[in-house]
């Protein structure tokens, strides 16, 4: 089933309040799938450097015209996470923010390697948004697996499914849904902010292939759609399809549009669901 939640976000970043020594790391990751080095940004919570805890982990994806700095810069991820954790709303966790641009077709960015598959559709808009040989048949999943392996090798992050979540905005939501489909049962929550999943912007608009009927119990979806979002109908339709597959989905309807103000608020709401704080 899915629930529609209409919310007016009361979450406010507390300017000037300091919650400790969280930090951001930027790592250059050599890849086999993309045949180049790709940057990945990590948020590490206060306390990470002073204990031996294995932390829950969020893999957080940007949109079509974004990069690894979109969430740190436009999403104010450090301030948001510091406040959520500092107020004991959300458990301390590691946030992984990769660059998932496919190649030089993404707004002039010239990260070569992933755009050379010959079977991908030549429509320019499709290439701009996906660029991964239709995602499921190409090397996007291989690339994402390399990101996961980097996180495990470099940082203390939990490998338990209940401690792993994946989320993304706009096109990144499409990628997050792809990851959940290709790795069923490995992510407790899937967060989709203003998802672009149907229509001419996807390679096979009539397919619901990013929904796996056999998703095991425990995998839940969070979908946020602003009342002024141009892709609002896509998010609502996706929740309806999840409902038909008996996959739990929380549908959050807010006042925002397809913009960062809405995504920052939706992210804070999602984290309350996915990693709520519990007393030890």
């Amino acid at each position: 089933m899915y629930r529609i939640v209409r919310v007016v976000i009361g979450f406010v970043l507390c300017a000037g309040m300091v919650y400790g020594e969280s930090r951001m790391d930027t790592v250059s990751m050599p890849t086999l799938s993309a045949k180049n080095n790709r940057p990945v940004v990590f948020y590490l919570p206060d306390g990470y450097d002073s204990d031996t805890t294995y932390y829950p982990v969020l893999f957080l994806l940007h949109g079509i015209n974004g990069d690894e700095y979109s969430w740190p810069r436009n999403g104010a991820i450090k301030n948001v996470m510091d406040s959520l954790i500092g107020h004991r709303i959300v458990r301390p966790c590691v946030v992984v923010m990769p660059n998932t641009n496919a190649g030089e077709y993404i707004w002039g960015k010239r990260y070569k390697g992933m755009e050379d598959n010959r079977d991908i559709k030549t429509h320019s808009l499709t290439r701009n948004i996906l660029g991964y040989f239709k995602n499921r048949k190409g090397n996007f999943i291989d690339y994402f697996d390399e990101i996961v392996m980097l996180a495990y090798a470099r940082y203390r992050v939990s490998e338990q499914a209940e401690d792993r979540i994946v989320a993304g905005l706009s096109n990144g939501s499409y990628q997050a849904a792809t990851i959940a489909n290709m790795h069923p049962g490995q992510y407790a929550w899937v967060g989709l902010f203003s998802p672009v999943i149907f229509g001419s912007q996807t390679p096979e608009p009539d397919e619901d292939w990013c929904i796996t009927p056999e998703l095991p119990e425990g995998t839940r979806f969070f979908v946020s759609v602003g009342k002024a979002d141009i892709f609002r109908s896509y998010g609502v339709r996706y929740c309806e399809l999840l409902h038909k597959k008996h996959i739990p989905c929380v549908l959050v309807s807010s006042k925002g549009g397809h913009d960062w103000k809405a995504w920052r608020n939706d992210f804070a709401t999602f984290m309350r669901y996915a990693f709520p704080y519990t007393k030890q």
Side-chain angles (χ1 to χ4, degrees):
M1 69 174 60
Y2 73 88
R3 290 181 292 153
I4 299 177
V5 181
R6 292 179 174 84
V7 294
V8 176
I9 300 298
F11 177 78
V12 178
L13 297 181
C14 301
M17 297 188 70
V18 178
Y19 294 109
E21 300 298 327
S22 68
R23 62 183 173 91
M24 307 285 282
D25 280 357
T26 301
V27 178
S28 180
M29 179 183 77
T31 73
L32 296 176
S33 56
K35 303 180 178 64
N36 60 12
N37 288 353
R38 288 296 181 98
V40 185
V41 175
F42 293 83
Y43 166 86
L44 304 174
D46 177 34
Y48 178 87
D49 294 315
S50 61
D51 64 28
T52 58
T53 301
Y54 277 73
Y55 286 85
V57 59
L58 160 64
F59 295 92
L60 186 59
L61 309 180
H62 58 75
I64 182 176
N65 62 339
D67 58 25
E68 69 280 6
Y69 293 111
S70 292
W71 279 102
R73 181 179 59 245
N74 300 316
I77 201 71
K78 187 176 187 298
N79 290 343
V80 172
M81 289 301 301
D82 285 354
S83 187
L84 288 171
I85 294 170
H87 282 100
R88 296 188 175 183
I89 297 170
V90 168
R91 285 189 287 161
C93 60
V94 171
V95 183
V96 184
M97 294 160 282
N99 184 317
T100 58
N101 280 326
E104 63 182 334
Y105 299 97
I106 304 293
W107 295 88
K109 292 182 181 295
R110 303 191 64 83
Y111 295 121
K112 287 180 175 280
M114 285 191 171
E115 72 279 6
D116 296 329
N117 298 294
R118 299 303 176 191
D119 289 347
I120 193 168
K121 291 188 177 182
T122 58
H123 188 277
S124 60
L125 187 58
T126 302
R127 295 188 71 122
N128 277 345
I129 287 186
L130 298 176
Y132 293 111
F133 187 24
K134 296 184 180 179
N135 270 351
R136 58 176 174 168
K137 297 178 181 176
N139 57 10
F140 173 72
I141 293 298
D142 293 337
Y143 171 53
F144 187 80
D145 286 347
E146 290 180 299
I147 296 167
V148 173
M149 287 188 288
L150 173 71
Y152 291 157
R154 193 176 183 95
Y155 299 100
R156 299 190 313 278
V157 295
S158 172
E159 297 186 32
Q160 301 300 314
E162 62 268 22
D163 290 332
R164 298 187 352 160
I165 58 179
V166 60
L169 66 89
S170 194
N171 172 59
S173 292
Y174 189 96
Q175 295 172 338
T178 299
I179 291 160
N181 176 55
M182 303 305 285
H183 296 298
Q186 293 190 22
Y187 297 90
W189 278 90
V190 184
L192 310 180
F193 315 131
S194 299
V196 180
I197 292 183
F198 303 105
S200 61
Q201 296 184 334
T202 57
E204 297 166 3
D206 295 327
E207 281 195 52
D208 61 350
W209 62 265
C210 47
I211 302 175
T212 302
E214 294 79 23
L215 274 176
E217 270 188 55
T219 301
R220 288 170 285 183
F221 282 73
F222 173 100
V223 178
S224 64
V225 287
K227 293 180 180 178
D229 196 320
I230 59 174
F231 298 113
R232 178 180 174 83
S233 61
Y234 294 175
V236 173
R237 180 183 168 193
Y238 191 67
C239 274
E240 290 172 348
L241 286 172
L242 288 168
H243 174 62
K244 290 178 182 178
K245 302 286 188 179
H246 305 288
I247 298 171
C249 176
V250 175
L251 177 60
V252 171
S253 180
S254 60
K255 291 184 178 181
H258 203 78
D259 54 56
W260 275 103
K261 182 179 180 180
W263 297 327
R264 284 191 295 269
N265 287 335
D266 293 343
F267 171 79
T269 303
F270 169 65
M271 293 302 290
R272 288 182 171 94
Y273 280 91
F275 285 153
Y277 180 85
T278 55
K279 289 185 178 181
Q280 302 298 319

